[in-house]
Amino acid sequence: GMEVAVEVGPQGAWIKAVGDGQTLQEGGLEPGTKTTFRAQQELLISTDNAGSTRLFYNGQDLGVLGKPGEPLSNIKFTP
C-alpha cells in the first residue's frame, strides 16, 4: 500500500481524494490542515488550488503542486 499526505496553505483548497475507487475526501480544507490518505492500489488527488496544496508520498515531500488558483484533477499515485 501507500499513503499520501495533503497539506493545505497558505490559502484554503477544495480537495478530492479517491483511494481504490472509494471517495475518502471531497470538500474544502482550511489553511494549515494536514490529512493523510491510504490506499492499496491507486490514489487520485484533485484540487482547485494547486498553489495551496502540498503533497507527501510515503513521507517524501513532493512540494506544492502548482500555481495559486490552478485546478488539477486526478493526480495518480500507485505503489
Side-chain angles (χ1 to χ4, degrees):
M2 67 196 135
E3 64 175 45
V4 175
V6 176
E7 192 173 55
V8 175
Q11 300 171 309
W14 178 93
I15 302 289
K16 182 174 182 180
V18 178
D20 299 330
Q22 293 192 330
T23 300
L24 306 175
Q25 156 78 30
E26 187 171 10
L29 294 177
E30 295 292 315
T33 304
K34 189 171 182 179
T35 184
T36 302
F37 305 108
R38 293 177 179 83
Q40 294 303 312
Q41 305 297 331
E42 181 183 76
L43 260 170
L44 300 172
I45 305 287
S46 302
T47 178
D48 74 342
N49 188 353
S52 284
T53 306
R54 184 177 202 129
L55 295 187
F56 300 81
Y57 175 75
N58 290 338
Q60 179 184 359
D61 186 355
L62 302 181
V64 174
L65 293 182
K67 299 173 183 152
E70 178 186 1
L72 294 173
S73 293
N74 295 327
I75 301 160
K76 184 175 176 180
F77 294 91
T78 54

